[in-house]
Amino acid sequence: VCTHRVRSCSSIRFIKSKYVCVFDKSALKFSHQQRLFRTSAVSCGQIVQFKLSDIGEGITEVTVKEWYIKEGDSVSQFDSICEVQSDKASVTITSRYDGIIRKLHYSIDDIAFVGKPLVDIEIDASKGVAPEEDVVETPPMSHEEHTHQEIKGHKTLATPAVRRLAMENNIKLSEVVGTGKDNRILKEDILNYLAKQTGAILPPSPKAEIVPPLRKTETVPAAPKDKARKIPVPVSRPIAFAGKDRTEPVTGFQKAMVKTMSAALKIPHFGYCDEIDLTQLVQLREELKPLAELRGVKLSFMPFFIKAASLGLLQYPVLNASLDENCQNVTYKASHNIGVAMDTEQGLIVPNVKNVQVCSVFDIAVELNRLQSLGSAGQLGTSDLTGGTFTLSNIGTIGGTYAKPVILPPEVAIGALGKIQVLPRFNGKGEVFKAQIMNVSWSADHRIIDGATMARFSNLWKSYLENPASMLLDLK
């Protein structure tokens, strides 16, 4: 049969053909991968191509890292389908439909493109499901018919699944800011809105749940610290020198680093270094650590460094600004979204703590604990990795004293913190005492930040850390 078109009418399928020949059962072949001849017993199913939607930030392709389903599995709305990784973050893709998985379009580590099918899902047409994507063997429905919702005189872009989630949680879509294409409201927008209203922290993927640190009374006795462990251990197995060269594509966070550092080359960097006496801060942290542990939070030095930086940015807002590509306009950021460089198995990532200017030191510590846990598990979302306005890199956790940090566009300043060392210093009476010394290295965009401004900011930041009690006067 030379088939021109297959149409479905109730449970009966009509075939229009120009030429009809005698054929046996084996002649009934699939003329297209998704164009099927079926009996009336199963004709109520529709095959939906579930496409990878726009996940924002100009991302056009992602790498498929893990499938949570396989062909033949049944899924429901909001069930996790797969985890993908862009050059900025890992994202868990969830189903919009109830149905059965019929085909996976990609394998692990394949590159998936925005707007292309991820999986084929067979749904029950009798339930009146209004799919967002084109349905095989049925005329495609207009986007305007099923992705808009009339609210107070204007239309809001949202899929039926997102509208259902909003309705179940009594959320008005008009109050939610959409981050998708054309301001489309995504499932993540609903969850983020719900988290802000309830104060809950929602995990971005179905991986192992992040467990907060145990209380002091529940902690397992730690093994005694052994300084010898800090010495790098040589490789025990013999290194194979023979072999072939191999070429691998630049993907994931490494690809993001290439883009960012290429853009950073256009910035004239001004460097400034100094040393900080953290003796009083070390004592203060030792006093506050047990209190933080009772609340289930690990208190490091970083929350103090971040809060002191925010207090300094209030006095020198040009360091919390951005410069447009044509160098014609400077935008002073109202929020202090301070990024923290982290070394992970996926590479260098820089999540940021949002709105530090209105956070306490404890609030910052809680958020840092969350970001570090998610970063170690590779579960940081796009919202955690974007929107930064100023960055601190604690290279001292690995080693070293001074560094030459590279600015992360569109930011205009960054600081690199060295390790804390016990060194001899002189007090005001000329007496030698044991001091906790840390070195800091700053880089600033010399097009809008002069050396004197950078030095004054550093001196103010230094004064807060050397005299932590002085921070109380300016804390909000």
Side-chain angles (χ1 to χ4, degrees):
V1 180
C2 300
T3 305
H4 285 178
R5 186 177 302 171
V6 178
R7 289 184 177 177
S8 174
C9 180
S10 297
S11 62
I12 304 175
R13 304 229 170 185
F14 298 96
I15 302 175
K16 292 185 177 181
S17 59
K18 187 174 181 180
Y19 305 101
V20 179
C21 306
V22 178
F23 58 93
D24 57 13
K25 292 182 179 180
S26 62
L28 276 177
K29 300 292 184 181
F30 299 151
S31 61
H32 188 275
Q33 185 175 353
Q34 296 145 340
R35 182 167 295 170
L36 311 176
F37 290 96
R38 302 183 183 178
T39 63
S40 60
V42 294
S43 61
C44 60
Q46 290 180 327
I47 302 297
V48 177
Q49 285 193 333
F50 177 61
K51 299 178 181 179
L52 177 63
S53 60
D54 185 3
I55 57 180
E57 299 296 325
I59 296 171
T60 59
E61 62 182 45
V62 296
T63 302
V64 179
K65 303 304 294 183
E66 184 177 358
W67 285 106
Y68 300 123
I69 45 87
K70 60 182 182 296
E71 294 181 2
D73 285 356
S74 296
V75 294
S76 301
Q77 291 185 41
F78 309 120
D79 282 355
S80 298
I81 291 180
C82 65
E83 181 180 350
V84 299
Q85 185 179 73
S86 68
D87 56 359
K88 297 182 179 179
S90 295
V91 179
T92 299
I93 305 299
T94 57
S95 175
R96 294 191 182 95
Y97 316 110
D98 300 331
I100 301 174
I101 302 297
R102 290 306 181 193
K103 180 181 178 182
L104 306 182
H105 285 266
Y106 299 98
S107 300
I108 300 297
D109 292 330
D110 282 354
I111 302 298
F113 297 92
V114 171
K116 299 297 183 181
L118 272 177
V119 297
D120 290 352
I121 304 178
E122 182 179 347
I123 62 175
D124 188 352
S126 63
K127 293 183 179 180
V129 178
E132 182 191 17
E133 310 294 348
D134 294 342
V135 179
V136 179
E137 299 182 354
T138 58
M141 183 184 292
S142 170
H143 256 358
E144 302 297 324
E145 296 176 17
H146 54 71
T147 60
H148 292 74
Q149 183 179 24
E150 194 76 28
I151 297 179
K152 295 182 180 180
H154 71 277
K155 291 183 177 181
T156 302
L157 288 168
T159 62
V162 171
R163 293 201 296 270
R164 175 181 169 184
L165 179 62
M167 181 179 64
E168 291 175 349
N169 290 278
N170 296 321
I171 298 175
K172 295 182 180 179
L173 291 181
S174 58
E175 299 176 354
V176 181
V177 179
T179 60
K181 186 177 181 181
D182 299 326
N183 296 323
R184 180 186 301 276
I185 297 177
L186 307 177
K187 174 197 168 187
E188 290 77 11
D189 301 327
I190 299 293
L191 296 179
N192 290 335
Y193 179 86
L194 188 62
K196 291 179 181 178
Q197 298 299 315
T198 61
I201 298 177
L202 301 175
S205 78
K207 288 191 175 181
E209 197 174 318
I210 303 302
V211 180
L214 298 174
R215 296 178 182 271
K216 185 177 180 182
T217 57
E218 302 173 349
T219 54
V220 178
K225 295 183 179 180
D226 186 0
K227 295 183 179 179
R229 292 182 181 178
K230 297 183 179 180
I231 301 176
V233 179
V235 179
S236 57
R237 61 183 180 181
I239 301 175
F241 291 98
K244 296 182 180 179
D245 296 344
R246 72 176 189 270
T247 302
E248 297 179 352
V250 178
T251 59
F253 295 129
Q254 189 178 16
K255 189 173 184 178
M257 185 184 295
V258 170
K259 294 179 181 178
T260 303
M261 294 301 101
S262 297
L265 286 175
K266 303 176 183 178
I267 300 175
H269 284 54
F270 169 80
Y272 180 83
C273 302
D274 201 355
E275 72 171 33
I276 319 295
D277 183 356
L278 299 180
T279 303
Q280 293 187 38
L281 182 60
V282 170
Q283 296 174 355
L284 176 62
R285 174 176 172 266
E286 288 300 318
E287 295 175 4
L288 297 179
K289 273 179 63 178
L291 299 177
E293 289 177 357
L294 287 175
R295 303 186 189 184
V297 175
K298 179 182 178 181
L299 182 63
S300 64
F301 289 104
M302 204 63 187
F304 297 96
F305 299 154
I306 292 174
K307 188 59 185 181
S310 177
L311 295 175
L313 294 176
L314 292 173
Q315 302 295 324
Y316 300 96
V318 69
L319 274 74
N320 195 60
S322 63
L323 186 65
D324 64 5
E325 293 183 359
N326 298 324
C327 301
Q328 299 297 318
N329 299 289
V330 178
T331 302
Y332 295 87
K333 304 292 185 178
S335 299
H336 296 171
N337 300 338
I338 299 183
V340 181
M342 294 183 181
D343 179 41
T344 68
E345 293 181 358
Q346 294 80 27
L348 175 66
I349 57 175
V350 189
N352 58 84
V353 181
K354 299 289 194 298
N355 298 310
V356 177
Q357 75 279 3
V358 294
C359 294
S360 66
V361 172
F362 181 77
D363 293 335
I364 299 170
V366 172
E367 181 66 2
L368 274 180
N369 280 205
R370 184 185 74 88
L371 294 175
Q372 289 167 348
S373 299
L374 295 178
S376 299
Q379 300 179 30
L380 284 169
T382 305
S383 60
D384 295 323
L385 295 168
T386 56
T389 60
F390 185 87
T391 298
L392 291 176
S393 175
N394 191 8
I395 193 65
T397 56
I398 301 176
T401 52
Y402 290 101
K404 186 179 179 181
V406 181
I407 299 170
L408 304 176
E411 299 175 19
V412 294
I414 184 175
L417 312 176
K419 64 181 180 180
I420 300 176
Q421 306 176 87
V422 179
L423 298 173
R425 289 295 183 267
F426 290 95
N427 58 19
K429 299 179 181 180
E431 300 169 342
V432 178
F433 71 99
K434 183 174 67 174
Q436 303 277 353
I437 301 297
M438 182 188 74
N439 300 108
V440 61
S441 305
W442 302 102
S443 288
D445 189 339
H446 214 355
R447 294 174 297 183
I448 60 172
I449 300 174
D450 55 66
T453 300
M454 187 72 256
R456 292 188 181 101
F457 167 82
S458 180
N459 290 338
L460 180 58
W461 180 76
K462 175 180 178 179
S463 68
Y464 284 131
L465 297 179
E466 291 188 337
N467 303 282
S470 65
M471 296 174 63
L472 295 174
L473 296 176
D474 299 314
L475 290 179
K476 299 183 184 297

